[in-house]
Amino acid sequence: MNTYSPRIVHVRPELDRMAEYVPGESPEAFSVRTGIPVSCLIKLNSNESPYGPAPSVLSALSDHRWYNNYPDTNATVLRTALSHYTGLDGRFIILGHGSMEVISLLWHIFLAAGDNIICCPPTFSLYTSVTTLCGAYILEVPRSIDYEVDVEGILEALTPETKMIVLCSPNNPTGNPVAEADVLTLLETGRIVVVDEAYVEFSDRPRGYAHLVPQYSNLVVLRTFSKWAGLAGLRIGYGLFPEWIGAYMRRAQCPFEVNVAGHIAAIETLNDLDYVFGNVRKIVQERDRVYNVLASQPYLEPIPSQGNFILARVINEDVDILRVRAILESHGILLRYFSHPYLRDFLRVTVGLPEHTDQLAHALSKVTG
Ligand SMILES: *Cc1c(COP(=O)(O)O)cnc(C)c1O
C-alpha cells in the first residue's frame, strides 16, 4: 500500500457513527485473555444449545458427498419441510445465512438515509448497527419497569419517516414475550412490524405469530435454527414474509446464501423434531433451576424468562458487577455483560446442562462468601 497518497475515497459518513456489534466472547479469545484452557470453559454467554445438533444431523452432514455443488437456491426440500413446521405455505418463507442475514436484507430493503425504526430497549443490539449502516436512525421507546413494550409510547414516537417497528418475542435479553393484542395494535399503524422469534421454541407459545403473516401485508416474523436446534455455527435462519416483501427479499439476496451444510442440517432437524424438542424441554426445565440459583443469591434479582437465558440484575450496592464477573471468569464461566446504559448492572445467563448450573451456583456463592 502506498501510504503517501492522499485518501480520495471515503467511506459513507454513517459508518463513523456506527457502533460495532459486540457478540459474546468466543472461548478461544477468553482462553487467550485468562489463560484458562478452552476445554475447561463453560460457555453461557451466547444462548447456544449445550446439546448441539441432533446425531442424525451430524451423520447426514458426514454422509453427504456433493459439497462441490452449489446449494438449491429455491430450497425446494427445506421449504417444504419448513412449510409443515410453520403451518405456512412455502411462498411466505425466505431463508438466510442466519436470521442476522435476513435482518440485514430486510433493513436494506426499507431503510434509506434519514429513515427511522422503532426499537424497545433493552433488546437485541444488532438492530441498531444494521440501522446505522443503512444511514437510518433508531427511535428508542424504552420498555416499562416490568419490561413490557410501551405501545402508547410507540404510537406517539411514530414519524413520517418511521418504516419499521421491531419487536423481539421472547425478548432478548429480558425473556418476556410480546402480547398478541400489542402486535395487532401496532400492525394498525401500517408500518412494517417485525417480530423476531429467535427464542419462540422455548416459550409457552412455541408457534408464535407465524399464523398472522398471511393475514397482514405488513407483518414479518423472523426465526432461526441457531438456538433451539443447536445449529448456530452453521448459520441458518428464515423469515415469514408477506409475498410482496418476500419478492423484494429474493431480488436483493445473493444466490446460494445458505450453504449446503445449513440446508442438510435444517432438513434433518425438521425430520427429527421429537429428539430436538426433547432437548428443548430439558432446557426449559433447567431454566427453572437456573432461575432459583440466581434468585437465591442475596445480591441478584433474576427476571422470569421464556427464552433459553435469564437476565439478572445486581441489586446489592455493595456488590460490583465487575467483581461478580471477575469471580465467574476465574471459574471459567462465560456470561453476557452489557455496555448499554439500561443494562450496566445486569448479567445474562444462557441455560446450559444441569452440571453447568451446579458450577454456576458454586461460583456465584463465592461472591459473598
Ligand atoms: C441469536 C439471535 C438472532 C440471530 O440468529 P442467527 O440466526 O444466528 O443469525 C436473532 N435475533 C435474536 C434476538 C437473537 O438473540
Side-chain angles (χ1 to χ4, degrees), residues 25-46 48 323-337 349-350 355-364 366:
E25 194 173 20
S26 70
E28 294 80 2
F30 182 91
S31 179
V32 167
R33 181 165 66 81
T34 62
I36 305 174
V38 170
S39 58
C40 300
L41 301 183
I42 300 176
K43 188 173 190 311
L44 304 178
N45 66 348
S46 295
E48 293 138 321
R323 201 168 94 78
V324 179
R325 178 174 184 167
I327 291 174
L328 285 158
E329 291 192 347
S330 71
H331 286 78
I333 299 176
L334 287 77
L335 303 184
R336 189 72 151 103
Y337 309 90
V349 184
T350 301
E355 54 262 43
H356 296 157
T357 309
D358 298 339
Q359 301 200 41
L360 176 72
H362 171 75
L364 286 173
K366 299 290 178 198

Side-chain angles (χ1 to χ4, degrees), residues 56-77:
S56 55
V57 168
L58 296 177
S59 53
L61 286 169
S62 63
D63 290 347
H64 187 75
R65 285 292 163 270
W66 304 105
Y67 290 114
N68 53 319
N69 287 347
Y70 282 110
D72 171 13
T73 282
N74 292 323
T76 317
V77 181

Side-chain angles (χ1 to χ4, degrees), residues 98-100 124 127 168 172 196 198-199 224 226-227 235-236:
S99 63
M100 290 187 189
F124 192 43
Y127 308 139
C168 185
N172 177 7
D196 184 343
Y199 302 96
T224 175
S226 290
K227 313 297 171 33
R235 316 301 305 122
I236 177 148

Side-chain angles (χ1 to χ4, degrees), residues 120 122-124 127 143 147 149 165-178 194-199 209 309:
C120 305
T123 193
F124 192 43
Y127 308 139
R143 288 161 182 268
Y147 305 109
V149 166
I165 300 167
V166 184
L167 307 167
C168 185
S169 182
N171 183 47
N172 177 7
T174 57
N176 57 323
V178 181
V194 181
V195 185
D196 184 343
E197 294 189 335
Y199 302 96
Y209 295 121
F309 54 84

Side-chain angles (χ1 to χ4, degrees), residues 120-164:
C120 305
T123 193
F124 192 43
S125 62
L126 182 89
Y127 308 139
T128 305
S129 14
V130 181
T131 304
T132 312
L133 181 58
C134 293
Y137 289 84
I138 295 267
L139 300 182
E140 291 195 332
V141 179
R143 288 161 182 268
S144 66
I145 196 83
D146 51 0
Y147 305 109
E148 294 299 326
V149 166
D150 175 6
V151 175
E152 287 304 314
I154 293 176
L155 297 178
E156 282 167 24
L158 291 172
T159 75
E161 292 77 30
T162 304
K163 298 289 155 68
M164 298 197 289

Side-chain angles (χ1 to χ4, degrees), residues 167-227:
L167 307 167
C168 185
S169 182
N171 183 47
N172 177 7
T174 57
N176 57 323
V178 181
E180 179 158 350
D182 291 348
V183 175
L184 297 179
T185 303
L186 294 173
L187 282 165
E188 297 290 311
T189 64
R191 298 338 196 267
I192 310 298
V193 175
V194 181
V195 185
D196 184 343
E197 294 189 335
Y199 302 96
V200 76
E201 279 84 358
F202 300 103
S203 77
D204 295 344
R205 289 185 56 172
R207 308 198 69 79
Y209 295 121
H211 63 285
L212 294 176
V213 170
Q215 299 168 41
Y216 289 89
S217 60
N218 58 333
L219 174 63
V220 173
V221 170
L222 303 175
R223 299 278 187 85
T224 175
F225 285 84
S226 290
K227 313 297 171 33

Side-chain angles (χ1 to χ4, degrees), residues 211-283:
H211 63 285
L212 294 176
V213 170
Q215 299 168 41
Y216 289 89
S217 60
N218 58 333
L219 174 63
V220 173
V221 170
L222 303 175
R223 299 278 187 85
T224 175
F225 285 84
S226 290
K227 313 297 171 33
W228 68 282
L231 301 183
L234 284 176
R235 316 301 305 122
I236 177 148
Y238 61 99
L240 305 168
F241 288 89
E243 283 178 273
W244 72 277
I245 303 179
Y248 286 108
M249 290 288 290
R250 277 191 205 91
R251 214 182 279 183
Q253 190 173 39
C254 297
F256 314 128
E257 274 300 87
V258 179
N259 62 72
V260 172
H263 279 260
I264 293 172
I267 291 165
E268 285 307 318
T269 296
L270 295 171
N271 282 338
D272 208 355
L273 283 178
D274 286 349
Y275 177 88
V276 182
F277 270 95
N279 290 339
V280 169
R281 272 194 299 277
K282 285 187 212 163
I283 291 166

